[in-house]
Amino acid sequence: MSLTRRDFARKSAITGAGVALAGSVGALATAPNALASTDTESVGEESAHGHHGVGYGPLIADPDGLLALPAGFKYRVITYSGRTKLDSGEFTPSNHDGTSTFDGPRGTTLLVNNHELAGPRANWPHPVPLTEGLVYDPAAAGGCTVVEIRPGGHVAEWVGIAGTATNCAGGNTPWGTWLTCEETEDRAGTNGFTKDHGYVFEVDPADRRANRAPKPIKALGRYAHEAVVVDPKRGHLYLTEDASNPNGLLYRWTPPEDHGHGHGRLRGLADDAGTLQAFKCFDSGGRFVDDLSRATKIGTVYGVDWVDVPDRDAKTVSVRKQFAAGEVTRARKLEGMWWGDGGTYIVSSYARTESPVQHDGAVWFYDPKRRTLTLKVLLGVNPDPSVDGAFDGPDNITVSPYGGLVIAEDGEGVQHLFGATESGRTYPIARNELNIGTAEKPEYSEFTGVTFSPDGKTLFANIQTPGIMLAITGPWKRQKRG
């Protein structure tokens, strides 16, 4: 049943201040230069290593020039493209991106790691190896590797899927698999590809046989996929699109009535199974919202309706271009997603001149029960990204077991992992110190794949270029609202 604009306006009038904010996380944090909500709650409890209040204190420079962390924290390199090797003998592929962790057998931790490699294989010195039986398109360089960390610390790595393109983010499923997303619309014949790309594929970290003969889940559409989450209660899948000209869309896929989620079930779907829809927002007055950048205040709540996609496989026209003005809501750089607090957090990394209002990042929360979208984080335009201290360009995201969010930065200049508390404070967790530029013009790669271990003791994250997976441990603590 649709939530009509009239219904949303009526509910807003009844509550006086709009539909109740979604999720358990309040008006989440903004960067130091952001459009911020006001914090009123103070924190006085002392944490480990003598640090009071929100976060873990200042970041300490790394003598090895890789990762700055707060006092008491340490990191371990898990994989490093061009240095560590797969079980099969090839080097770890490059360009690490979306990642998730899973409980493995005999106390192991399993991770599935995307490798965002676009275009022809020949362009990349360390593509995902074309492992027999696991290849979709032999001309494509991307794919996923599975990383196993044993209780004693031994690391093993092998190919989960190969021959896919631009594997950006994705999402885990309630049944223990990873959905990897191709952020491209390249068709067969482009870049030498032998098959169409722009799909979602499923990778099982615990069952190598289940990954054989990769098959795209065409029911989820063909477009520049970024991330995906599964609603464990209702069965919907929500997907983001990172695209421009015009800006991308947020999608919802509703499974057929007779579909039951589980291992291998998505692979067996017909190409046109279920219903793929794009979102359409309206404010508390019932007015259509053309672009999410229109929201300039933390706590803004929009009602959401869903509009059917005419041609999900984009046979002649890109999916986002199949809608006329006024039919759907758009947003620039729709990126990471994570399910938590009964809904999904959704990142818009930035908005520039292609959007009605400019910003340097926003995080929204969609509540499927209320059918509302609430602005939780809004970062104002960073005037000088080369200076440490401000955050911009949020990308991959995870819900922290210690409260609030942990966000990977993909902005300009200095790159961080940073946290956002439940009431409006941000704090640094890590800073990338690996300069891949020059002394005169330093350059630092984005962070990707931020995710906690199943037991919550280790935060995993990647430095995308050259491709480094890191495990961060230390005196984690519950983050108070203040």
Side-chain angles (χ1 to χ4, degrees), residues 323-410:
F323 297 96
E327 291 187 321
V328 293
T329 299
R330 301 184 183 275
R332 185 72 162 94
K333 294 291 288 182
L334 285 172
E335 298 261 13
M337 306 176 76
W338 200 269
W339 185 270
D341 303 312
T344 182
Y345 291 92
I346 304 161
V347 171
S348 171
S349 285
Y350 61 77
R352 295 291 184 264
T353 55
E354 79 291 324
S355 303
V357 181
Q358 296 187 34
H359 61 71
D360 254 350
V363 181
W364 294 81
F365 179 84
Y366 178 69
D367 184 332
K369 182 178 180 180
R370 295 186 174 95
R371 288 167 290 170
T372 54
L373 193 67
T374 302
L375 182 59
K376 297 292 190 177
V377 179
L378 182 61
L379 309 182
V381 176
N382 189 347
D384 189 356
S386 65
V387 177
D388 195 14
F391 307 130
D392 62 277
D395 195 326
N396 287 179
I397 188 171
T398 192
V399 174
S400 171
Y402 303 96
L405 305 171
V406 176
I407 301 169
E409 192 175 16
D410 177 17

Side-chain angles (χ1 to χ4, degrees), residues 182-375:
E182 293 188 306
E183 188 191 330
T184 181
E185 296 179 67
D186 286 348
R187 285 194 172 278
T190 305
N191 292 315
F193 290 160
T194 65
K195 294 183 179 181
D196 290 346
H197 291 265
Y199 295 115
V200 177
F201 296 79
E202 187 169 23
V203 177
D204 191 327
D207 185 356
R208 302 193 195 196
R209 293 173 299 178
N211 300 325
R212 298 187 66 81
K215 180 184 177 184
I217 307 169
K218 292 188 175 182
L220 303 181
R222 194 184 70 82
Y223 47 89
H225 286 273
E226 176 70 27
V228 57
V229 298
V230 181
D231 181 339
K233 183 177 180 180
R234 299 165 186 84
H236 295 114
L237 272 65
Y238 296 92
L239 309 102
T240 48
E241 179 183 31
D242 181 3
S244 58
N245 298 316
N247 285 345
L249 307 176
L250 173 67
Y251 298 93
R252 182 183 73 175
W253 179 76
T254 302
E257 291 186 3
D258 60 349
H259 176 79
H261 282 312
H263 288 271
R265 298 301 304 276
L266 290 174
R267 283 174 57 115
L269 288 169
D271 293 350
D272 60 352
T275 305
L276 185 67
Q277 299 171 303
F279 78 146
K280 182 177 184 179
C281 296
F282 41 93
D283 65 17
S284 59
R287 294 175 292 268
F288 168 68
V289 179
D290 63 336
D291 194 283
L292 290 186
S293 68
R294 296 285 186 188
T296 59
K297 183 178 180 182
I298 297 295
T300 297
V301 182
Y302 292 145
V304 178
D305 209 346
W306 297 95
V307 182
D308 288 355
V309 170
D311 172 21
R312 72 181 83 186
D313 203 49
K315 293 179 179 62
T316 57
V317 178
S318 296
V319 172
R320 71 185 183 283
K321 297 179 181 179
Q322 296 172 22
F323 297 96
E327 291 187 321
V328 293
T329 299
R330 301 184 183 275
R332 185 72 162 94
K333 294 291 288 182
L334 285 172
E335 298 261 13
M337 306 176 76
W338 200 269
W339 185 270
D341 303 312
T344 182
Y345 291 92
I346 304 161
V347 171
S348 171
S349 285
Y350 61 77
R352 295 291 184 264
T353 55
E354 79 291 324
S355 303
V357 181
Q358 296 187 34
H359 61 71
D360 254 350
V363 181
W364 294 81
F365 179 84
Y366 178 69
D367 184 332
K369 182 178 180 180
R370 295 186 174 95
R371 288 167 290 170
T372 54
L373 193 67
T374 302
L375 182 59

Side-chain angles (χ1 to χ4, degrees), residues 128-178:
V128 177
L130 298 176
T131 303
E132 184 180 358
L134 301 178
V135 180
Y136 170 66
D137 180 350
C144 299
T145 53
V146 180
V147 177
E148 178 188 68
I149 304 175
R150 297 174 187 171
H154 176 81
V155 175
E157 185 179 17
W158 59 87
V159 172
I161 187 173
T164 51
T166 322
N167 296 70
C168 198
N172 57 33
T173 70
W175 52 93
T177 63
W178 172 251

Side-chain angles (χ1 to χ4, degrees), residues 406-460:
V406 176
I407 301 169
E409 192 175 16
D410 177 17
E412 302 293 332
V414 183
Q415 304 291 334
H416 301 88
L417 298 174
F418 66 96
T421 71
E422 295 182 2
S423 66
R425 299 283 297 277
T426 56
Y427 57 92
I429 296 174
R431 181 178 64 245
N432 179 8
E433 297 197 327
L434 181 63
N435 181 7
I436 57 175
T438 65
E440 295 75 22
K441 294 183 178 181
E443 181 183 351
Y444 301 93
S445 176
E446 67 180 280
F447 279 106
T448 64
V450 59
T451 183
F452 278 92
S453 59
D455 64 8
K457 294 180 180 180
T458 303
L459 177 65
F460 293 95

Side-chain angles (χ1 to χ4, degrees), residues 107-124:
T108 61
T109 297
L110 298 174
L111 301 97
V112 183
N113 186 200
N114 278 2
H115 298 277
E116 190 181 19
L117 300 167
R121 287 186 66 83
N123 290 354
W124 300 100

